[in-house]
Amino acid sequence: MRLRFRHLGTLVVLALTLTRTAAAQSDEDKTPLGMRMTAMNAALRQITAQVADPSKNASTLEQVVIFQTNATEAMTFKPEKMAQVAEGEQEKFVTDFQEGIKGLLVTVDSLKVAVEAGRNEDAANIVEAMKAYQREKHPVFRVRKP
Ligand code: HEM
């Protein structure tokens, strides 16, 4: 019995090590743009969880600023998918991408205004619109990965 427990302990340690290695690898695999997107995603997750709660508005606004900062930085990079586009169309592809992020930033600005004004229901609807926008733009600009 004691032997079995020892094996179990070894397995747990192995599983934890593998999980940590996998997480580290996926971070290294990310492009600089992907890292900004990941930060936007984390901020949006927290915003989603608390946007309807007026008592959390100060914290929501902090996350909105984090989202804005990362989205603004994201605009300075070129999507990985650009390499899959014909050379003559790459410039337009990048400009369209930048316009896409600019459009997102306009919506984020309206989110900020709504939270500041205590219009939490409007703010929650804006968050949903941001997610719909993400679903619309990702297939256009992001490399499809398995
Ligand atoms: C609510 C807004 C958005 C969120 C939360 C979001 C989140 C993400 C996440 C989590 C990734 C994967 C990052 C990784 O693991 O590498 C990603 C990738 C990407 N997203 Fe977004 N995204 C949003 C909006 C947009 C918009 C509007 C565009 C384009 C106009 C866009 C373009 C891209 C591109 C191009 C990638 C791939 C990274 C690369 O090519 O280097 N995203 N996004």
Side-chain angles (χ1 to χ4, degrees), residues 36-98:
R36 277 28 176 223
M37 288 281 165
T38 303
M40 287 158 57
N41 202 38
L44 193 62
R45 223 180 268 171
Q46 196 174 327
I47 293 168
T48 303
Q50 61 190 44
V51 66
D53 182 352
S55 76
K56 302 255 172 73
N57 281 355
S59 153
T60 300
L61 284 170
E62 278 175 24
Q63 294 304 315
V64 170
V65 171
I66 292 171
F67 188 102
Q68 274 177 325
T69 308
N70 281 282
T72 306
E73 283 178 19
M75 230 177 354
T76 65
F77 301 104
K78 292 172 180 165
E80 209 180 355
K81 196 175 178 181
M82 186 191 77
Q84 296 176 0
V85 175
E87 228 171 272
E89 288 162 24
Q90 288 183 349
E91 204 179 312
K92 183 181 183 308
F93 183 81
V94 175
T95 312
D96 287 349
F97 162 73
Q98 288 165 343

Side-chain angles (χ1 to χ4, degrees), residues 30-31 33-35 37-38 40-41 44 67 78-81 97 100-101 104 130-131 133-134 137-138 141-143:
K30 285 190 208 298
T31 60
L33 172 56
M35 281 158 71
M37 288 281 165
T38 303
M40 287 158 57
N41 202 38
L44 193 62
F67 188 102
K78 292 172 180 165
E80 209 180 355
K81 196 175 178 181
F97 162 73
I101 300 290
L104 178 63
M130 285 165 65
K131 289 181 187 170
Y133 193 70
Q134 173 189 4
K137 297 296 178 186
H138 272 178
F141 294 106
R142 194 177 166 187
V143 172

Side-chain angles (χ1 to χ4, degrees), residues 47 51-52 107 110-130:
I47 293 168
V51 66
T107 311
S110 70
L111 172 63
K112 190 164 174 261
V113 171
V115 176
E116 278 169 349
R119 288 189 282 106
N120 288 72
E121 212 180 299
D122 289 348
N125 288 330
I126 294 169
V127 168
E128 287 313 305
M130 285 165 65

